[in-house]
Amino acid sequence: LGVLLLAALLAIVIAVCLLIALAFRLAVLGGNDHMHGNDAATFPLIARAAQILGLYVIALCAINFVSAIVQCGLGECHTMGYALLPK
């Protein structure tokens, strides 16, 4: 239980830090109005990184979905407990 609580708190801290960073960037640098005319192909490195990160997020969602299905198949739904974790 302690590890799960720590992981949840860490996720909350990371989310808050991301929101603060976004608010800071918006306050200091302003919006992205200067980027509307540019195409993603103008920045190939950023476009490639975004594509890789998008695939990473899709893979994480797929793994999460499969693990939830496996959990419920083992008789314990993912909202009730974790049969896949050692006790």
Side-chain angles (χ1 to χ4, degrees), residues 1-86:
L1 181 64
V3 174
L4 293 177
L5 183 60
L6 183 63
L9 288 174
L10 184 62
I12 291 170
V13 168
I14 290 171
V16 169
C17 287
L18 287 172
L19 288 172
I20 290 171
L22 183 61
F24 183 75
R25 187 187 81 175
L26 185 61
V28 172
L29 301 176
N32 291 333
D33 294 335
H34 62 284
M35 295 296 290
H36 289 300
N38 294 335
D39 188 31
T42 309
F43 305 100
L45 184 62
I46 294 174
R48 181 74 176 146
Q51 186 179 20
I52 290 171
L53 287 174
L55 291 174
Y56 175 71
V57 169
I58 290 170
L60 284 179
C61 291
I63 290 169
N64 190 21
F65 179 73
V66 169
S67 68
I69 297 299
V70 169
Q71 277 293 124
C72 291
L74 291 175
E76 285 191 47
C77 195
H78 64 284
T79 58
M80 301 296 182
Y82 292 96
L84 296 177
L85 292 177

